[in-house]
Amino acid sequence: MFGLVDCNSFFVSCERVFNPALHNKPVIVLSNNDGCVISRSKEAISLGIKMGQPVFKIMDFIRENGIQVFSSNYILYGDMSDRVMETLRACAPSIEIYSIDEAFLNLDSIDNSNLKKYGEELASIVKRNTGIPVSIGISHTKTLAKVASKLGKKYPKLNGSCFMQEDCDIRKVLKVFPVGDVWGIGREHGKMLNQNKIMTAYDFSMASSEWVKKKMSVVGLRTWLELRGIPSISFEDSIHIKKQICTSRSFSHELNDIEELSQAVATFTTYSAEKLRKQDSVCSSIQIFILTNQYKEKISQYFRSIIVTLDTPTDSTLILVKAALSGLCKIYKSECMYKKAGVVLLDISKKNDTPGNIFCDHNAAKHSMLMETLDGLNLRYGRDTLVTAAQGIESIKAFSNHLSKRYTTCWDDIIEVNI
DNA sequence: TCTGGGGTCCTAGGACCC
DNA sequence: TCTGGGGTCCTAGGACCC
C-alpha cells in the first residue's frame, strides 16, 4: 500500500503558523516579483481566485474582499517543509519526498486493517508538531493514493485521511473523478481524452491499453495501469541526484545593458553551482538562455540559448561563471530588451566517479578548497556574504512587497519581531 | 506598469558509426 | 550501373509534475 501526504495550501499554511490572525481569512501567496497567485487558502479559492492568475488583473478584487497577500518566502517554506518531512520520517516505514509539500509513504509493513486509523493519526501528529494541516490518501498505487488524498482534502469528515481499498469503492470514486484531475494527465491529454468521450478516471481505465499507448506513450500507459491497481511507478526512498540544475528569474524591469545581464547570469550560475556542490556533483556543460518580454507584442521578440561544454567536469563557481559569460556574449544582441535569463547545469555526475582531464588542469584541488571556504562563509553569515566580482555588488532585485519574516531561520528577523 | 520557477521523462529525427 | 542494414547518440520539442 502507498500513502500520499499533501500539505493543504502549503505556503498559506506556513504564513498562518506564525500569524494566527490569518486563520479563516482569505489569504494568497504570490510568485517571484509578486507576479502570479501560487497558493490560496480555502477561503480564497471559494472567492474564485485561480491558481496562476496574474495579480495585477485582480488588484481591485483583492482590495474589495480583504484578501491578505504575501510575497513568497521560500526560506520559511523550505524550513517548514523540512519539519514536516522529519515528522513523517519518524512515523512512517519509509518516505519519498516528492515536492516541497508532498511525500509518498511505503506502507507495506503496516496491517491493512489499521491503515485508516494510521492515516488519521499521522495527519494529527503532523499538525501538532508543525502546525501544518495535511491530507493523506492511502491505496494500492501512487496514482490511486493521489486520488484518495484529494478526497481527504475535499471531505472534512474524513479527518484528513482517505483509505481506498475495496475495488467497488475505488470504482465508485473513479466514476465521478474527472480524468483531467488524475495525476499524470495534464491539460493537453485531458482535452484529447474528453474529445474522445473519455470524461472520468473510470472511462480512462476502461480504454484499451493499445489505444492509450498509441495516444499517450508509455507514460500514459503507466497511469492507466496504476488506476487499475497495478503499481507501475516506482517508489524511490533514496535521495536522488538531480540531472539538471536550473536557476532562472524574470527581472522586475527589462534589461538591455550587457553588464547588468552579465551580473544576473553570474548570480544564477553561482546559485546553481551551490546546489551542484550540495549534492556532491560536477557538471560538464552549462546552458545559458535569455529572452525578451513575450507579453509585449509590440517589441521584437528574441529567445536564444547556448550550451557551453567544459574541458573537464567541475563544480567550481569560478570556472562555471567564466563559461556562462562566454556563452552569454555569443547570444547577446544589443538591440533587445531582456525580461528573463537563466542558466542550466547539464551532464551532471557524482564528483568521485568523474575522471579528470590530464590535458587541462584547473588546479582542481585549489578550486575545491576555495569553494569549501566560500560555501562555509555563506552558510554561516548568509547567502551572498562572499560573491564573485562578476556578480556585482548591487544584484538585480525582484519585487517582493509583501514579504513575511523568516521566522524559523533568521535571527535578525526575530529581533525585529520582538521590538 | 504589473504575467513564476524548477524539475522529469519520452519521442522523433538527424548525424554518425561500422 | 549497381548504393544496405543495424545500431547509438544527441538534440529539440512536447508533455507532465509541483
Side-chain angles (χ1 to χ4, degrees):
Chain A
M1 281 289 185
F2 293 91
L4 186 267
V5 182
D6 189 345
C7 301
N8 301 342
S9 310
F10 182 56
F11 297 168
V12 166
S13 297
C14 291
E15 299 292 347
R16 279 178 169 167
V17 169
F18 298 94
N19 189 347
L22 298 172
H23 283 283
N24 305 315
K25 298 221 174 81
V27 184
I28 56 176
V29 175
L30 310 183
S31 65
N32 207 0
N33 283 320
D34 292 345
C36 299
V37 178
I38 54 170
S39 180
R40 309 159 294 165
S41 71
K42 228 172 39 223
E43 298 77 10
I45 295 172
S46 25
L47 281 171
I49 294 193
K50 298 275 180 292
M51 197 69 175
Q53 210 163 25
V55 174
F56 74 93
K57 288 187 178 169
I58 52 169
M59 270 310 188
D60 292 340
F61 187 81
I62 287 171
R63 215 170 300 122
E64 286 156 16
N65 290 278
I67 297 168
Q68 304 286 312
V69 179
F70 290 86
S71 303
S72 37
N73 185 344
Y74 286 106
I75 295 176
L76 175 66
Y77 310 151
D79 189 61
M80 293 305 288
S81 173
D82 290 345
R83 296 179 183 199
V84 171
M85 299 308 169
E86 278 317 305
T87 300
L88 294 179
R89 219 187 292 279
C91 302
S94 74
I95 83 167
E96 173 193 336
I97 298 174
Y98 177 65
S99 73
I100 194 166
D101 71 333
E102 277 180 63
F104 286 105
L105 314 176
N106 183 335
L107 302 173
D108 286 345
S109 57
I110 295 177
D111 183 2
N112 277 8
S113 59
N114 294 332
L115 278 173
K116 169 74 182 138
K117 193 153 167 270
Y118 171 85
E120 285 176 12
E121 277 175 10
L122 187 54
S124 103
I125 292 170
V126 173
K127 176 81 176 96
R128 194 180 64 217
N129 285 9
T130 67
I132 302 290
V134 298
S135 304
I136 301 180
I138 298 171
S139 194
H140 303 284
T141 65
K142 282 179 158 184
T143 306
L144 288 173
K146 276 270 204 180
V147 170
S149 82
K150 289 200 181 180
L151 259 55
K153 195 170 284 196
K154 193 168 162 191
Y155 299 107
K157 64 169 187 197
L158 292 173
N159 296 323
S161 169
C162 173
F163 177 42
M164 295 198 316
Q165 177 167 237
E166 301 301 330
D167 285 351
C168 56
D169 294 335
I170 294 173
R171 205 172 313 130
K172 222 187 284 173
V173 169
L174 296 188
K175 277 186 176 176
V176 293
F177 200 84
V179 70
D181 292 350
V182 173
W183 181 51
I185 296 177
R187 216 181 8 203
E188 294 305 311
H189 284 152
K191 221 189 299 171
M192 182 277 294
L193 291 169
N194 286 166
Q195 278 160 3
N196 284 279
K197 305 259 182 317
I198 291 172
M199 312 309 281
T200 67
Y202 177 77
D203 296 342
F204 180 63
S205 72
M206 286 293 113
S208 82
S209 63
E210 295 79 21
W211 186 84
V212 172
K213 167 110 196 260
K214 195 175 110 210
K215 291 286 199 180
M216 300 166 68
S217 86
V218 297
V219 185
L221 193 60
R222 267 181 222 139
T223 300
W224 181 85
L225 285 163
E226 289 245 321
L227 285 175
R228 296 167 75 103
I230 303 158
S232 308
I233 300 173
S234 59
F235 184 84
E236 292 174 27
D237 48 359
S238 56
I239 296 160
H240 74 282
I241 300 293
K242 281 181 199 139
K243 296 167 186 167
Q244 299 178 8
I245 291 173
C246 170
T247 306
S248 76
R249 295 281 185 283
S250 297
F251 306 125
S252 49
H253 60 278
E254 277 125 24
L255 302 184
N256 167 254
D257 182 23
I258 179 84
E259 280 304 316
E260 281 189 302
L261 212 49
S262 296
Q263 288 184 8
V265 166
T267 302
F268 302 157
T269 307
T270 302
Y271 291 168
S272 296
E274 280 170 9
K275 296 181 207 168
L276 184 69
R277 292 194 292 274
K278 211 173 244 177
Q279 64 168 38
D280 236 349
S281 300
V282 288
C283 74
S284 53
S285 59
I286 175 168
Q287 179 176 36
I288 302 93
F289 62 87
I290 47 178
L291 59 152
T292 48
N293 190 342
Q294 49 181 324
Y295 295 102
K296 285 193 178 163
E297 287 169 4
K298 283 174 219 149
I299 65 167
S300 66
Q301 296 292 320
Y302 181 65
F303 171 87
R304 271 226 41 207
S305 74
I306 187 170
I307 295 177
V308 179
T309 307
L310 303 159
D311 300 328
T312 306
T314 187
D315 64 355
S316 164
T317 297
L318 302 184
I319 294 167
L320 289 166
V321 165
K322 203 168 152 194
L325 295 182
S326 77
L328 175 64
C329 286
K330 292 200 181 106
I331 56 175
Y332 171 78
K333 278 207 313 194
S334 58
E335 62 269 34
C336 294
M337 298 299 289
Y338 298 98
K339 177 65 178 167
K340 182 174 179 177
V343 304
V344 191
L345 306 184
L346 304 163
D347 298 322
I348 291 175
S349 51
K350 287 293 279 179
K351 192 169 184 178
N352 297 332
D353 301 348
T354 310
N357 180 342
I358 55 168
F359 300 111
C360 179
D361 180 22
H362 281 298
N363 262 327
K366 272 191 184 171
H367 274 271
S368 272
M369 279 164 64
L370 182 57
M371 289 305 116
E372 220 172 281
T373 309
L374 177 79
D375 290 338
L377 284 170
N378 285 335
L379 183 69
R380 182 158 173 194
Y381 297 107
R383 194 175 219 192
D384 296 333
T385 298
L386 186 60
V387 299
T388 62
Q391 285 176 256
I393 304 295
E394 237 350 88
S395 56
I396 314 294
K397 290 276 182 298
F399 281 131
S400 193
N401 291 328
H402 311 275
L403 198 58
S404 52
K405 305 292 176 192
R406 287 170 287 170
Y407 298 104
T408 57
T409 51
C410 186
W411 186 239
D412 292 346
D413 282 355
I414 302 297
I415 300 270
E416 231 175 284
V417 171
N418 289 344
I419 288 168

